[in-house]
Amino acid sequence: MSGKNADSGRGGFLEDQFLIAMPGMKDDRFARSVIYVCAHSDEGAMGLIINQTQQILFPDLLVQLGIMDEQEAIRLSPPARDLVIRNGGPVDRSRGFVLHSGDYRVESSLNVAHNICLTATVDILRAISTGRGPRSALMALGYSGWGAGQLENEIAQNGWLTCPATPELLFDAEIESTYDRILASIGIDIAHLSPNAGHA
């Protein structure tokens, strides 16, 4: 595959895109990863890995943060109880980020794309735990970041494939198959991506 998406230097052109790790990805932390790009400018880029999970469960995180006690956490309703916490990336792993549908907004919410926001305050965790949160949400600890020109360079070197994100794939709970399904959605068979496929 050519790096046809890397020929633009204008800021922001990767926002609301998926980055799909190519089979030859040299950094093991990103092998078979899909990253949703939340921000991109001439100064750099920031995104969240959406298909790697953390060991900690959402109810346990709420208890750790002092949002509720263990008895309350046990009684959480299924949508909140079953919210999977993802590994957003190697940077600042103690920080939480919630990507969510635009039906929920607080002052600190950032618009990423049409009807997709990013909120990094505990307010949204409280709202999710009480059933007053967004219709769709994805929570991650940590994020993935790039300095000026770094991501564009990685794309040009065939490290990443890019494609427009869809809310359906972004918020889908079938995390294990996300990588293959996103590739399939753009008509790509992983076996044809690289002569080294299967040896990454």
Side-chain angles (χ1 to χ4, degrees):
M1 297 294 299
S2 69
K4 65 180 183 221
N5 293 317
D7 59 1
S8 169
R10 67 187 186 281
F13 78 101
L14 289 171
E15 281 175 11
D16 195 34
Q17 296 267 321
F18 286 136
L19 296 177
I20 307 154
M22 295 289 273
M25 171 59 67
K26 294 177 179 68
D27 190 332
D28 287 344
R29 296 172 301 178
F30 296 108
R32 285 184 61 86
S33 68
V34 176
I35 294 177
Y36 178 79
V37 181
C38 302
H40 177 240
S41 71
D42 294 334
E43 280 88 55
M46 176 268 183
L48 300 174
I49 301 173
I50 65 166
N51 66 330
Q52 292 179 9
T53 59
Q54 294 266 8
Q55 293 300 311
I56 189 167
L57 302 173
F58 187 64
D60 298 335
L61 182 69
L62 295 176
V63 172
Q64 264 187 32
L65 294 172
I67 292 172
M68 56 178 50
D69 63 33
E70 288 184 21
Q71 288 306 309
E72 292 171 305
I74 289 168
R75 292 193 297 271
L76 273 179
S77 62
R81 187 184 63 225
D82 302 335
L83 184 66
V84 174
I85 299 178
R86 326 229 180 168
N87 168 30
V91 184
D92 212 351
R93 286 181 179 237
S94 61
R95 246 180 108 191
F97 300 88
V98 180
L99 261 179
H100 57 92
S101 49
D103 55 325
Y104 173 94
R105 276 190 177 84
V106 290
E107 208 175 307
S108 60
S109 297
L110 300 172
N111 276 334
V112 177
H114 174 66
N115 215 25
I116 294 180
C117 299
L118 179 70
T119 303
T121 57
V122 294
D123 299 339
I124 192 168
L125 303 184
R126 285 195 187 94
I128 290 169
S129 70
T130 57
R132 294 178 292 110
R135 185 179 61 256
S136 303
L138 173 162
M139 178 168 184
L141 291 176
Y143 68 94
S144 304
W146 295 265
Q150 187 183 356
L151 180 55
E152 293 88 334
N153 188 45
E154 288 179 15
I155 292 170
Q157 308 252 328
N158 219 20
W160 301 98
L161 191 63
T162 66
C163 74
T166 65
E168 294 75 28
L169 286 166
L170 177 62
F171 296 118
D172 194 345
E174 298 293 324
I175 298 167
E176 294 291 316
S177 60
T178 298
Y179 183 82
D180 294 322
R181 284 184 301 121
I182 288 176
L183 283 175
S185 76
I186 55 174
I188 292 175
D189 181 342
I190 185 79
H192 299 140
L193 274 181
S194 157
N196 300 319
H199 304 290

